[in-house]
Each structure stands twice: as structure tokens, then as C-alpha cells.
Amino acid sequence: MNAPVDEQGSPVTATQEKVQWWSWRIAAEFATALAFAGAFFALWPTDLIWDDGAIVVKYMDNFARGHFYSYNPTDGPVFGISGFLHGLLAGALAYTHVFSPLDSLFASNFLGLTLTGFFLFRVLAQYLPDWRAAVPAWVALMVSCPNFVTNVKEGLETPLHVGVLLANVWAFASGRRRLMWFLGALAVISKLDGILFVVVFWGAFFLREWADGRPADRRVAREALLFAGLPIFAWVVFCYAVFGSPIPQTIVAKLMFHRQSTFVWPGFVKPFLTGKALS
């Protein structure tokens, strides 16, 4: 069998062949994720928004009128959308009138669903290099959570936030340290409960480095401060200057005005401890 050659007729090395294969695989993964998101929106063309989604739509209405992050324009900016990046992206689309206020939310959700699909492929590629195993796993995971599907068509922040979280997992699994710090910061900025996720993965990173005989040094600390600490610090300063606090009003409302459980763990932990997570 003749060895593969490039366009100039020179032999292709094993490394070059592997790079070409992975380039095609990455392109195919992105195209599949994009097609999945497009098919999802085409096959489920609903404009029905209710509950929390209706609150976010009102913010988008005011973005379109030129009011930044305002529920009531006379009140000024209010951090009332728990997904900051989602609100910022959809708000920019509404403000520029690229899309209607409602379609601006769906555009952000479309991007979030695409990123979720793509980075899920990237994470699976780290642990299932054989695409014949990765593709069925990807399909099963993408259709296994009905609550996620509901959020995609509700205009909420979940799709974009999950995409950012999966990008962080991929950066961790593939050893892209600086990108891991930056995406971890984006996860916190995207939605404050990303802090719990980031603490776990950053902790896993330090444990992995220690187990491999590479304890953290000053260079690692400088990278973490530059690529994670600085973006988070800038975001906190911005929130204090614009909103008065980096704590979303959704959290304040739940803590101050909703009846509280006597259970001391965060709400999402309780179902796992009581055996009701999969019921």
C-alpha cells in the first residue's frame, strides 16, 4: 500500500496524519452540534414563554428601548437575571435590533445549545477517542435531560451556561491550563453558582499536579491571578459600580422572601442525598 502524500507529493508523517484526522473530527463535531441545534429549533418552533422566562423577556424589551439591565426603566440597572453572560449577549442583540427581544433570547439559547453539543463532543473525545463510542454517548447525553430541553425554549440562561461549563471541563481534561483559568472565571461570571463547579475542578487540577509530582509554583499562581482573578475582579468592580452588588436579585429574593428549608445543604444537593435525584 502506498504511503499517503500531501499536495506537493511529499510523504505525510504519522503525526501530520493524526493532526489532519483530528482537524476533520473537530470540524465534524462542530457541524453536528450546529445541525442538532438547528434541527431542534426547526422542529420545536414555539414562542410560548412563561414564569421566569417572561421576566427575562421584559428585560430584553427594555434593552431594545436603550435601557441597560432594567426591569422598570425608572429604577435604573437591576441585576435581576441570574445568568449575566446570557443577559448581556441577548441584551446586546435586542439593543442593536438584530433580533426582536424574544428572538434575542432564542439566539443566545441557540448559541448555548451549539456550544453545549460541541464541547460535550470535545470532552468525550478525551475519554472515548474512538468516534464509534463517542457518537452514541453524545446522542444519549444530549437527549437524556428533559429539563435542559425545556430551558432551551424558555429563554433562560441554562444552555449558554452549560456550554461554558463544558468548555471548562474540556480545558481541564486536555491540559490547557490558562484556558481553564479563564473559562473558570467565565463560568463564575456567567452564573454565580458556577463557583461550586469551578472550586471542584480547580481543586482537581491541583490534586492532579501534586500526584504527578508537579506541585503548584509561583508561575501557576501568576497565571491563575492573570487569567482568572483579573476577569473576576473586573466583573465584581463593574457589578458594584452598576448594580450595587455582584449578587443577583434572584438570589436575594430566594434567600430573603421565600420560605427556607431547615436543610443546611444547597438545594441541588438534597435530592442526591435523599435518593430522589433520579426519581
Side-chain angles (χ1 to χ4, degrees), residues 146-223:
N147 288 335
F148 177 72
V149 171
T150 300
N151 274 272
V152 172
K153 292 311 297 283
E154 268 302 287
L156 299 177
E157 71 279 350
T158 306
L160 187 60
H161 185 58
V162 172
V164 173
L165 295 180
L166 284 172
N168 200 4
V169 176
W170 166 72
F172 165 79
S174 60
R176 290 169 168 80
R177 191 170 64 202
R178 293 179 177 179
L179 190 58
M180 181 193 72
W181 299 129
F182 179 69
L183 290 172
L186 277 189
V188 174
I189 294 170
S190 171
K191 191 172 171 68
L192 210 55
D193 58 13
I195 291 175
L196 298 174
F197 178 93
V198 166
V199 166
V200 170
F201 273 90
W202 287 356
F205 164 78
F206 285 114
L207 286 175
R208 184 178 66 184
E209 295 294 293
W210 175 78
D212 292 342
R214 299 190 300 267
D217 54 18
R218 291 183 179 179
R219 182 166 59 89
V220 174
R222 285 196 298 268
E223 286 182 356

Side-chain angles (χ1 to χ4, degrees), residues 35-176:
F36 180 90
F40 180 87
F41 274 81
L43 296 175
W44 193 357
T46 177
D47 293 332
L48 183 61
I49 296 293
W50 68 90
D51 199 26
D52 291 355
I55 297 175
V56 185
V57 170
K58 184 167 182 178
Y59 273 91
M60 295 303 109
D61 287 338
N62 287 322
F63 262 112
R65 298 184 182 104
H67 304 288
F68 181 78
Y69 255 102
S70 298
Y71 188 80
N72 294 313
T74 55
D75 295 336
V78 175
F79 193 3
I81 303 175
S82 57
F84 180 78
L85 293 182
H86 172 61
L88 198 63
L89 172 60
L93 295 174
Y95 174 76
T96 55
H97 302 286
V98 173
F99 296 109
S100 69
L102 179 59
D103 286 341
S104 296
L105 294 175
F106 288 153
S108 176
N109 289 162
F110 181 89
L111 175 63
L113 185 57
T114 302
L115 293 178
T116 295
F118 175 67
F119 282 111
L120 180 58
F121 262 133
R122 292 285 75 223
V123 171
L124 289 172
Q126 295 297 317
Y127 303 103
L128 297 174
D130 189 341
W131 65 268
R132 290 168 294 187
V135 170
W138 182 86
V139 172
L141 289 169
M142 289 297 290
V143 301
S144 64
C145 184
N147 288 335
F148 177 72
V149 171
T150 300
N151 274 272
V152 172
K153 292 311 297 283
E154 268 302 287
L156 299 177
E157 71 279 350
T158 306
L160 187 60
H161 185 58
V162 172
V164 173
L165 295 180
L166 284 172
N168 200 4
V169 176
W170 166 72
F172 165 79
S174 60
R176 290 169 168 80

